[in-house]
Amino acid sequence: MVTNTTTSPTEPADKSPAYTPTEDQSELIGQLAAWQAKVGKPDTTFARDHLSFSASVWSRIQSGEYFNMVKAPAAVFAALRKDLRRIEREQAIAARHAGAEYFAFDDFKAVFAAVDECRAKNLSDPDRLITFLADTGGGKTRLCGRLHEEEGAIVVQAREAWKTSYFNCLRDFCDAVGIDTRANSNKGAMELEIVAALNKRRHILAVDEAEFFGAQSLNLIKLILNSTPSVVILCAIPEAFARWNRANWHEARQIRRRTHVLIHQELIHPSEAARFLVASPAKAVAREAAPLLAAALSLLRLRPCSPERAQHRHRS
């Protein structure tokens, strides 16, 4: 996502014949308008979240008026093409993280509360990292999707290649924030572009499968926290999180110093399991089964999970 610019990428044009977009250019505008209709956002919100132009410029682009106000309409269409590619990438990521049923366990509520707390911090405070640890199947991917849907979070999917290739990490971050890396293979330049993109406004950055971090990838998170106003959420498996803390102890220590809260998902309390069943689609059956399941889980002595306890006990 990018924030809008209220100025044109080109200088005002002298008087000239009215510009008529080509068929491809008209199709590009139509594709963007179709995405706007699909996500259901008014011009102001759509331009702010997805375009390189302000809402008023986007309105003039759709009417065709804007192309007679600039010297190089081709530059406008180049920016719009980048915006369209970025939207398509965002929607592809969202599709992967959406679709599953979501149930607001206390741990998930604690993450959303921590996001609000971090957004309220002064821009000079770098302690804006939220770490969420949960076992396989604990809802980490779905949580990232919910953060994207409700908070507009940028979701980055970590990969095993990050452990040995910092370039792969940078390229994935660039793709997520809408930077075209095809013509750039310089790591330092890519870092600067990521920082510049995230400095345009306060973003929420959610990293799924964060157990694949290497030392340099951890330093990138530190750079983002130090140099941008972003709120960062790392989602990882507890055992893998412990491993990369040991393997990269110096870098991990620097990250822990910038942690607002570490939330470690515990075993589900029987009362939460019962509430989940009652809230599920098969409500008629669930209402009868919930007390039985709760009683069975009680025999296993599963512990309750409190977001307050998680925040205070696990805070770094």
Side-chain angles (χ1 to χ4, degrees), residues 39-107:
V39 298
K41 294 181 179 181
D43 283 357
T44 302
T45 309
F46 183 70
R48 182 196 66 198
D49 292 346
H50 303 291
L51 300 181
S52 304
F53 304 95
S54 67
S56 60
V57 170
W58 171 232
S59 177
R60 291 190 179 103
I61 286 174
Q62 293 182 89
S63 69
E65 176 187 359
Y66 189 64
F67 303 110
N68 297 310
M69 302 169 62
V70 294
K71 280 187 176 180
V76 177
F77 284 106
L80 291 175
R81 286 191 187 91
K82 288 183 179 179
D83 291 339
L84 178 60
R85 286 198 297 269
R86 181 168 47 247
I87 292 171
E88 290 172 342
R89 284 194 296 266
E90 289 172 355
Q91 295 304 314
I93 292 172
R96 182 193 180 280
H97 291 79
E101 185 176 2
Y102 176 81
F103 186 75
F105 288 121
D106 287 343
D107 290 321

Side-chain angles (χ1 to χ4, degrees), residues 99-119:
E101 185 176 2
Y102 176 81
F103 186 75
F105 288 121
D106 287 343
D107 290 321
F108 298 165
K109 293 177 182 177
V111 171
F112 277 87
V115 168
D116 290 338
E117 292 166 4
C118 288
R119 280 195 296 202

Side-chain angles (χ1 to χ4, degrees), residues 17 79 107 127 136 143 152 205 214 223 232 245 250 252 294:
D107 290 321
D127 300 345
T136 301
L143 175 64
L205 199 62
L223 174 66
V232 181
N245 266 276
H250 177 71

Side-chain angles (χ1 to χ4, degrees), residues 93-288:
I93 292 172
R96 182 193 180 280
H97 291 79
E101 185 176 2
Y102 176 81
F103 186 75
F105 288 121
D106 287 343
D107 290 321
F108 298 165
K109 293 177 182 177
V111 171
F112 277 87
V115 168
D116 290 338
E117 292 166 4
C118 288
R119 280 195 296 202
K121 288 188 175 185
N122 191 287
L123 295 179
S124 62
D125 186 349
D127 300 345
R128 286 173 268 102
L129 176 66
I130 301 162
T131 302
F132 178 68
L133 303 180
D135 289 319
T136 301
K140 300 182 293 298
T141 297
R142 189 67 188 100
L143 175 64
C144 289
R146 203 68 176 186
L147 286 165
H148 174 80
E149 293 168 8
E150 295 191 10
E151 304 291 343
I154 298 171
V155 180
V156 184
Q157 178 70 48
R159 300 184 287 141
E160 191 165 1
W162 287 18
K163 292 180 180 179
T164 55
S165 172
Y166 182 48
F167 177 76
N168 282 326
C169 172
L170 286 171
R171 186 171 58 186
D172 289 344
F173 268 88
C174 285
D175 285 345
V177 300
I179 298 169
D180 189 350
T181 59
R182 289 177 297 179
N184 187 4
S185 59
N186 182 283
K187 296 176 184 177
M190 293 167 75
E191 288 176 341
L192 292 176
E193 288 193 65
I194 291 169
V195 169
L198 294 176
N199 263 320
K200 292 181 178 178
R201 64 184 178 90
R202 173 161 273 177
H203 290 277
I204 300 170
L205 199 62
V207 183
D208 196 12
E209 310 289 354
E211 58 268 16
F212 292 129
F213 275 96
Q216 289 179 301
S217 305
L218 288 171
N219 281 332
L220 176 62
I221 295 298
K222 184 176 73 171
L223 174 66
I224 289 172
L225 291 168
N226 287 348
S227 306
T228 80
S230 303
V231 177
V232 181
I233 303 104
L234 300 183
C235 298
I237 297 172
E239 291 78 7
F241 174 80
R243 278 198 302 272
W244 65 246
N245 266 276
R246 291 192 297 268
N248 309 284
W249 67 270
H250 177 71
E251 292 80 9
R253 183 179 62 179
Q254 297 296 317
I255 290 296
R256 288 196 300 273
R257 291 177 57 187
R258 291 159 178 79
T259 298
H260 173 70
V261 64
L262 188 158
I263 301 170
H264 189 161
Q265 185 187 71
E266 298 187 16
L267 297 174
I268 299 172
H269 188 261
S271 63
E272 283 198 325
R275 286 195 293 120
F276 174 77
L277 280 174
V278 171
S280 70
K283 292 181 180 178
V285 177
R287 286 196 183 93
E288 298 180 7

